[in-house]
Amino acid sequence: VLEKLDLANESIIHCGHSNGGVVGIGFAAKHPEKVKGLVLLDAVCLPVTKPLVARVADLPLLGDFIVQKMGAKTFNKFAHASCADPDSNEEVKEYLAKQSRNTLENPRFFAAVRSTNAYCLGFAGTAEPLYRQCCEAKVPIQLIWGKADTSVPYSSCVKLHEIAKECETVVAEEAFDGMPHNVFFADAKPQECSDSVCAFVEKIKGM
């Protein structure tokens, strides 16, 4: 991506949510000289319990059959749980309706779920060694977490903060009461998250 944008020789601040945070960790661990800072929003970095839909999709042979019968229902339950209030406004309702249609109508949907399972280190193992590499390379880190996140609990944030402090790297944390895993709707904390990211960017620019 950086090469396509003619930014291959530039250093960046990577901001990633959920599994996107793990992508940033992997890049920063491999290329710390290219990363000015790392923003992790509810990142699936440490081992977490797979959602039921993910465990079902992983089953050999029986997986396809079971997914056809109950996959949509279990995924929709997971999608609802990721929102603070599924009935809060039309934007959230439309998002959940699209997710529901996708599970029922897109034959490649659960193949994508399996792919995510395989490459998401929080599901398939742990990204802690890579995260430690980032910290040891003194990559500044901003942790943004929802205390109501049931997918990637706040205890993960506490652990990541402790690791960063052990490695004596610059680390900041913002944790919000009532914020679920999905941070992008008005019923969560989108403005607060945005303000936190902007403050971190300004701090990094001044270092």
Side-chain angles (χ1 to χ4, degrees):
V1 173
L2 294 177
E3 290 174 356
K4 285 285 186 181
L5 296 173
D6 293 325
L7 296 173
N9 295 321
E10 301 291 331
S11 56
I12 64 168
I13 297 174
H14 186 285
C15 180
H17 171 255
S18 193
N19 198 34
V22 182
V23 173
I25 290 169
F27 181 80
K30 189 174 182 179
H31 305 286
E33 75 286 352
K34 290 185 176 293
V35 181
K36 288 182 180 178
L38 196 55
V39 181
L40 305 177
L41 293 93
D42 298 271
V44 191
C45 176
L46 304 178
V48 296
T49 301
K50 283 186 183 181
L52 177 59
V53 64
R55 299 198 299 274
V56 167
D58 277 346
L59 291 173
L61 301 179
L62 287 176
D64 286 335
F65 175 77
I66 296 175
V67 160
Q68 290 173 8
K69 296 297 183 183
M70 62 177 287
K73 181 178 180 180
T74 55
F75 184 83
N76 290 335
K77 183 178 180 181
F78 169 74
H80 276 70
S82 72
C83 298
D85 183 357
D87 299 314
S88 60
N89 59 55
E90 292 304 315
E91 183 185 21
V92 176
K93 290 178 182 178
E94 177 58 21
Y95 161 77
L96 292 171
K98 285 182 178 179
Q99 292 285 59
S100 180
R101 289 195 299 271
N102 209 16
T103 59
L104 294 171
E105 299 171 7
N106 185 346
R108 295 184 296 275
F109 181 82
F110 285 102
V113 172
R114 286 191 178 91
S115 177
T116 298
N117 289 353
Y119 291 101
C120 178
L121 291 177
F123 289 164
T126 178
E128 182 177 337
L130 294 175
Y131 178 76
R132 283 187 178 275
Q133 282 182 242
C134 297
C135 294
E136 289 166 358
K138 301 297 187 270
V139 175
I141 293 169
Q142 167 81 330
L143 302 170
I144 302 176
W145 233 268
K147 289 189 175 181
D149 189 339
T150 57
S151 303
V152 187
Y154 175 63
S155 57
S156 291
C157 178
V158 173
K159 177 64 175 177
L160 295 177
H161 198 144
E162 290 174 353
I163 292 171
K165 296 290 281 186
E166 287 173 14
C167 296
E168 298 182 345
T169 194
V170 173
V171 60
E173 177 189 320
E174 289 271 11
F176 299 107
D177 292 328
M179 190 175 89
H181 187 66
N182 195 325
V183 302
F184 303 109
F185 295 116
D187 67 335
K189 305 284 183 179
Q191 188 59 54
E192 290 88 341
C193 289
S194 178
D195 291 344
S196 182
V197 172
C198 290
F200 179 71
V201 170
E202 289 301 314
K203 180 179 179 180
I204 295 301
K205 286 166 63 176
M207 291 175 62

